[in-house]
Amino acid sequence: MDERTCENCGVRLTGRVDKRFCSDQCRSIAKNSRKAQNEGERMMKEINTKLRHNRFVLQRHSPEGKTTLRREVLQLAGFDFRHFTHLYRTRQGNTYYFCYDYGYLLLEDEKVLIVNWQPYMEKSNSFTRN
């Protein structure tokens, strides 16, 4: 009978005949390695990293939940206006761009209004997700 070894570290396996890894850690390492080699998985990870950074920037600049500031402040903090999780459109036709639970509205004179997600936004018919 052939000796079975862990697909990640090569350690000799004992136990079930269909066992592929010696531990949960080796299984996890192998899965993460496969994901790192997949172009689509890498792209999703990069975009989510940008989204998380955008949320962090919005949160840091609006600790009270509603703040107006110059667009340049966000840009200098590394905010990427191309990436957002969803939109909220008001009845007046304004479009808020959200990064998870923090959003912003582009205003005149290169200003931005930062807001927190509110429960009433979920109930609105003007809510769309990307």
Side-chain angles (χ1 to χ4, degrees):
M1 182 173 172
D2 290 332
E3 186 175 293
R4 296 173 300 116
T5 59
C6 175
E7 292 181 17
N8 182 60
C9 70
V11 167
R12 183 175 170 264
L13 295 177
T14 59
R16 295 186 353 228
V17 293
D18 61 342
K19 192 173 185 180
R20 296 173 48 200
F21 303 100
C22 65
S23 66
D24 288 339
Q25 182 180 4
C26 273
R27 183 178 43 78
S28 180
I29 290 169
K31 180 181 178 184
N32 290 338
S33 176
R34 283 192 307 275
K35 286 174 87 173
Q37 294 172 10
N38 181 297
E39 186 176 339
E41 291 287 341
R42 282 195 313 272
M43 178 186 246
M44 287 189 319
K45 184 176 180 180
E46 290 170 11
I47 291 172
N48 198 46
T49 298
K50 291 175 185 179
L51 288 169
R52 289 172 60 95
H53 178 74
N54 279 356
R55 182 194 179 278
F56 171 77
V57 171
L58 292 173
Q59 180 186 32
R60 185 175 52 174
H61 286 90
S62 184
E64 300 302 317
K66 191 170 185 181
T67 305
T68 302
L69 48 86
R70 297 195 60 73
R71 180 181 172 124
E72 178 184 34
V73 173
L74 297 180
Q75 290 171 321
L76 290 172
F79 192 88
D80 188 338
F81 286 90
R82 297 172 301 164
H83 296 284
F84 51 91
T85 56
H86 58 284
L87 303 172
Y88 173 72
R89 289 193 180 94
T90 66
R91 291 183 191 148
Q92 296 79 22
N94 294 324
T95 300
Y96 288 81
Y97 299 84
F98 275 83
C99 296
Y100 305 107
D101 57 335
Y102 282 86
Y104 62 93
L105 172 66
L106 298 173
L107 302 172
E108 295 178 3
D109 299 326
E110 292 291 308
K111 291 187 179 176
V112 175
L113 171 66
I114 301 173
V115 297
N116 287 4
W117 180 258
Q118 300 297 318
Y120 72 84
M121 295 175 175
E122 188 74 41
K123 297 173 187 166
S124 170
N125 292 331
S126 60
F127 173 77
T128 57
R129 287 201 186 265
N130 283 348

